[in-house]
PDB file of all heavy atoms in Angstrom:
ATOM      1  N   ALA I 220       2.172  -8.060  28.192  1.00  0.00           N
ATOM      2  CA  ALA I 220       1.142  -8.350  29.187  1.00  0.00           C
ATOM      3  C   ALA I 220       1.198  -9.799  29.655  1.00  0.00           C
ATOM      4  O   ALA I 220       0.939 -10.099  30.830  1.00  0.00           O
ATOM      5  CB  ALA I 220      -0.237  -8.043  28.610  1.00  0.00           C
ATOM      6  N   ILE I 221       1.552 -10.713  28.747  1.00  0.00           N
ATOM      7  CA  ILE I 221       1.711 -12.124  29.134  1.00  0.00           C
ATOM      8  C   ILE I 221       2.888 -12.263  30.094  1.00  0.00           C
ATOM      9  O   ILE I 221       2.809 -12.927  31.129  1.00  0.00           O
ATOM     10  CB  ILE I 221       1.895 -13.008  27.892  1.00  0.00           C
ATOM     11  CG1 ILE I 221       0.610 -13.000  27.047  1.00  0.00           C
ATOM     12  CG2 ILE I 221       2.274 -14.435  28.286  1.00  0.00           C
ATOM     13  CD1 ILE I 221       0.768 -13.624  25.684  1.00  0.00           C
ATOM     14  N   GLY I 222       4.029 -11.632  29.719  1.00  0.00           N
ATOM     15  CA  GLY I 222       5.145 -11.469  30.644  1.00  0.00           C
ATOM     16  C   GLY I 222       6.051 -12.659  30.853  1.00  0.00           C
ATOM     17  O   GLY I 222       7.066 -12.545  31.541  1.00  0.00           O
ATOM     18  N   THR I 223       5.749 -13.810  30.283  1.00  0.00           N
ATOM     19  CA  THR I 223       6.611 -14.979  30.467  1.00  0.00           C
ATOM     20  C   THR I 223       7.829 -14.877  29.555  1.00  0.00           C
ATOM     21  O   THR I 223       7.798 -14.186  28.527  1.00  0.00           O
ATOM     22  CB  THR I 223       5.855 -16.271  30.157  1.00  0.00           C
ATOM     23  OG1 THR I 223       5.468 -16.260  28.770  1.00  0.00           O
ATOM     24  CG2 THR I 223       4.614 -16.386  31.025  1.00  0.00           C
ATOM     25  N   THR I 224       8.887 -15.573  29.918  1.00  0.00           N
ATOM     26  CA  THR I 224      10.094 -15.544  29.085  1.00  0.00           C
ATOM     27  C   THR I 224       9.829 -16.041  27.668  1.00  0.00           C
ATOM     28  O   THR I 224      10.266 -15.404  26.695  1.00  0.00           O
ATOM     29  CB  THR I 224      11.211 -16.372  29.737  1.00  0.00           C
ATOM     30  OG1 THR I 224      11.534 -15.798  31.009  1.00  0.00           O
ATOM     31  CG2 THR I 224      12.459 -16.398  28.854  1.00  0.00           C
ATOM     32  N   PRO I 225       9.093 -17.160  27.478  1.00  0.00           N
ATOM     33  CA  PRO I 225       8.805 -17.579  26.099  1.00  0.00           C
ATOM     34  C   PRO I 225       8.037 -16.533  25.307  1.00  0.00           C
ATOM     35  O   PRO I 225       8.215 -16.436  24.088  1.00  0.00           O
ATOM     36  CB  PRO I 225       7.957 -18.853  26.303  1.00  0.00           C
ATOM     37  CG  PRO I 225       8.346 -19.361  27.645  1.00  0.00           C
ATOM     38  CD  PRO I 225       8.591 -18.138  28.467  1.00  0.00           C
ATOM     39  N   ALA I 226       7.190 -15.764  25.983  1.00  0.00           N
ATOM     40  CA  ALA I 226       6.448 -14.720  25.276  1.00  0.00           C
ATOM     41  C   ALA I 226       7.340 -13.530  24.948  1.00  0.00           C
ATOM     42  O   ALA I 226       7.315 -13.000  23.835  1.00  0.00           O
ATOM     43  CB  ALA I 226       5.241 -14.275  26.108  1.00  0.00           C
ATOM     44  N   LEU I 227       8.148 -13.109  25.912  1.00  0.00           N
ATOM     45  CA  LEU I 227       8.950 -11.900  25.722  1.00  0.00           C
ATOM     46  C   LEU I 227       9.993 -12.066  24.615  1.00  0.00           C
ATOM     47  O   LEU I 227      10.333 -11.088  23.934  1.00  0.00           O
ATOM     48  CB  LEU I 227       9.621 -11.514  27.044  1.00  0.00           C
ATOM     49  CG  LEU I 227       8.659 -11.050  28.149  1.00  0.00           C
ATOM     50  CD1 LEU I 227       9.424 -10.786  29.443  1.00  0.00           C
ATOM     51  CD2 LEU I 227       7.891  -9.804  27.711  1.00  0.00           C
ATOM     52  N   VAL I 228      10.511 -13.281  24.415  1.00  0.00           N
ATOM     53  CA  VAL I 228      11.525 -13.473  23.370  1.00  0.00           C
ATOM     54  C   VAL I 228      10.924 -13.389  21.970  1.00  0.00           C
ATOM     55  O   VAL I 228      11.665 -13.345  20.986  1.00  0.00           O
ATOM     56  CB  VAL I 228      12.259 -14.818  23.539  1.00  0.00           C
ATOM     57  CG1 VAL I 228      12.995 -14.868  24.862  1.00  0.00           C
ATOM     58  CG2 VAL I 228      11.311 -15.994  23.397  1.00  0.00           C
ATOM     59  N   LEU I 229       9.588 -13.349  21.880  1.00  0.00           N
ATOM     60  CA  LEU I 229       8.933 -13.261  20.574  1.00  0.00           C
ATOM     61  C   LEU I 229       8.723 -11.812  20.123  1.00  0.00           C
ATOM     62  O   LEU I 229       8.270 -11.586  19.001  1.00  0.00           O
ATOM     63  CB  LEU I 229       7.573 -13.979  20.629  1.00  0.00           C
ATOM     64  CG  LEU I 229       7.603 -15.469  20.949  1.00  0.00           C
ATOM     65  CD1 LEU I 229       6.188 -16.006  21.117  1.00  0.00           C
ATOM     66  CD2 LEU I 229       8.351 -16.243  19.871  1.00  0.00           C
ATOM     67  N   ARG I 230       9.049 -10.853  20.955  1.00  0.00           N
ATOM     68  CA  ARG I 230       8.784  -9.449  20.637  1.00  0.00           C
ATOM     69  C   ARG I 230       9.562  -8.993  19.399  1.00  0.00           C
ATOM     70  O   ARG I 230      10.683  -9.413  19.160  1.00  0.00           O
ATOM     71  CB  ARG I 230       9.146  -8.544  21.812  1.00  0.00           C
ATOM     72  CG  ARG I 230       8.326  -8.797  23.067  1.00  0.00           C
ATOM     73  CD  ARG I 230       8.799  -7.955  24.234  1.00  0.00           C
ATOM     74  NE  ARG I 230       8.295  -6.583  24.114  1.00  0.00           N
ATOM     75  CZ  ARG I 230       9.014  -5.537  23.734  1.00  0.00           C
ATOM     76  NH1 ARG I 230      10.290  -5.706  23.428  1.00  0.00           N
ATOM     77  NH2 ARG I 230       8.472  -4.339  23.664  1.00  0.00           N
ATOM     78  N   GLY I 231       8.933  -8.117  18.615  1.00  0.00           N
ATOM     79  CA  GLY I 231       9.620  -7.444  17.522  1.00  0.00           C
ATOM     80  C   GLY I 231       9.836  -8.258  16.268  1.00  0.00           C
ATOM     81  O   GLY I 231      10.608  -7.846  15.400  1.00  0.00           O
ATOM     82  N   ARG I 232       9.128  -9.368  16.131  1.00  0.00           N
ATOM     83  CA  ARG I 232       9.385 -10.233  14.977  1.00  0.00           C
ATOM     84  C   ARG I 232       8.136 -10.564  14.173  1.00  0.00           C
ATOM     85  O   ARG I 232       8.203 -11.244  13.156  1.00  0.00           O
ATOM     86  CB  ARG I 232      10.044 -11.532  15.463  1.00  0.00           C
ATOM     87  CG  ARG I 232      11.412 -11.319  16.099  1.00  0.00           C
ATOM     88  CD  ARG I 232      11.817 -12.450  17.024  1.00  0.00           C
ATOM     89  NE  ARG I 232      11.787 -13.756  16.377  1.00  0.00           N
ATOM     90  CZ  ARG I 232      11.885 -14.910  17.035  1.00  0.00           C
ATOM     91  NH1 ARG I 232      11.990 -14.907  18.355  1.00  0.00           N
ATOM     92  NH2 ARG I 232      11.853 -16.043  16.388  1.00  0.00           N
ATOM     93  N   THR I 233       6.987 -10.063  14.620  1.00  0.00           N
ATOM     94  CA  THR I 233       5.737 -10.493  14.000  1.00  0.00           C
ATOM     95  C   THR I 233       5.543  -9.896  12.616  1.00  0.00           C
ATOM     96  O   THR I 233       5.095 -10.581  11.691  1.00  0.00           O
ATOM     97  CB  THR I 233       4.540 -10.115  14.888  1.00  0.00           C
ATOM     98  OG1 THR I 233       4.790 -10.560  16.228  1.00  0.00           O
ATOM     99  CG2 THR I 233       3.266 -10.769  14.387  1.00  0.00           C
ATOM    100  N   GLY I 234       5.849  -8.618  12.452  1.00  0.00           N
ATOM    101  CA  GLY I 234       5.642  -7.976  11.149  1.00  0.00           C
ATOM    102  C   GLY I 234       6.422  -8.654  10.038  1.00  0.00           C
ATOM    103  O   GLY I 234       5.887  -8.932   8.959  1.00  0.00           O
ATOM    104  N   VAL I 235       7.685  -8.923  10.291  1.00  0.00           N
ATOM    105  CA  VAL I 235       8.518  -9.582   9.285  1.00  0.00           C
ATOM    106  C   VAL I 235       8.015 -11.002   9.020  1.00  0.00           C
ATOM    107  O   VAL I 235       7.938 -11.446   7.866  1.00  0.00           O
ATOM    108  CB  VAL I 235       9.994  -9.590   9.731  1.00  0.00           C
ATOM    109  CG1 VAL I 235      10.832 -10.511   8.838  1.00  0.00           C
ATOM    110  CG2 VAL I 235      10.556  -8.169   9.695  1.00  0.00           C
ATOM    111  N   ALA I 236       7.647 -11.717  10.074  1.00  0.00           N
ATOM    112  CA  ALA I 236       7.127 -13.074   9.894  1.00  0.00           C
ATOM    113  C   ALA I 236       5.834 -13.060   9.088  1.00  0.00           C
ATOM    114  O   ALA I 236       5.616 -13.926   8.221  1.00  0.00           O
ATOM    115  CB  ALA I 236       6.900 -13.734  11.242  1.00  0.00           C
ATOM    116  N   LEU I 237       4.968 -12.094   9.351  1.00  0.00           N
ATOM    117  CA  LEU I 237       3.728 -11.973   8.583  1.00  0.00           C
ATOM    118  C   LEU I 237       4.022 -11.760   7.109  1.00  0.00           C
ATOM    119  O   LEU I 237       3.419 -12.410   6.236  1.00  0.00           O
ATOM    120  CB  LEU I 237       2.889 -10.817   9.121  1.00  0.00           C
ATOM    121  CG  LEU I 237       1.673 -10.420   8.280  1.00  0.00           C
ATOM    122  CD1 LEU I 237       0.671 -11.568   8.198  1.00  0.00           C
ATOM    123  CD2 LEU I 237       1.016  -9.165   8.847  1.00  0.00           C
ATOM    124  N   ALA I 238       4.949 -10.854   6.799  1.00  0.00           N
ATOM    125  CA  ALA I 238       5.283 -10.590   5.403  1.00  0.00           C
ATOM    126  C   ALA I 238       5.829 -11.838   4.721  1.00  0.00           C
ATOM    127  O   ALA I 238       5.460 -12.150   3.581  1.00  0.00           O
ATOM    128  CB  ALA I 238       6.294  -9.443   5.314  1.00  0.00           C
ATOM    129  N   LYS I 239       6.689 -12.560   5.397  1.00  0.00           N
ATOM    130  CA  LYS I 239       7.255 -13.783   4.806  1.00  0.00           C
ATOM    131  C   LYS I 239       6.171 -14.840   4.588  1.00  0.00           C
ATOM    132  O   LYS I 239       6.175 -15.545   3.573  1.00  0.00           O
ATOM    133  CB  LYS I 239       8.392 -14.313   5.671  1.00  0.00           C
ATOM    134  CG  LYS I 239       9.658 -13.449   5.614  1.00  0.00           C
ATOM    135  CD  LYS I 239      10.769 -14.007   6.486  1.00  0.00           C
ATOM    136  CE  LYS I 239      12.000 -13.103   6.463  1.00  0.00           C
ATOM    137  NZ  LYS I 239      12.774 -13.174   5.209  1.00  0.00           N
TER     138      LYS I 239
END
Side-chain angles (χ1 to χ4, degrees):
I221 294 169
T223 63
T224 299
L227 293 176
V228 298
L229 299 174
R230 297 175 79 256
R232 296 158 55 192
T233 310
V235 169
L237 170 63
K239 289 180 182 286

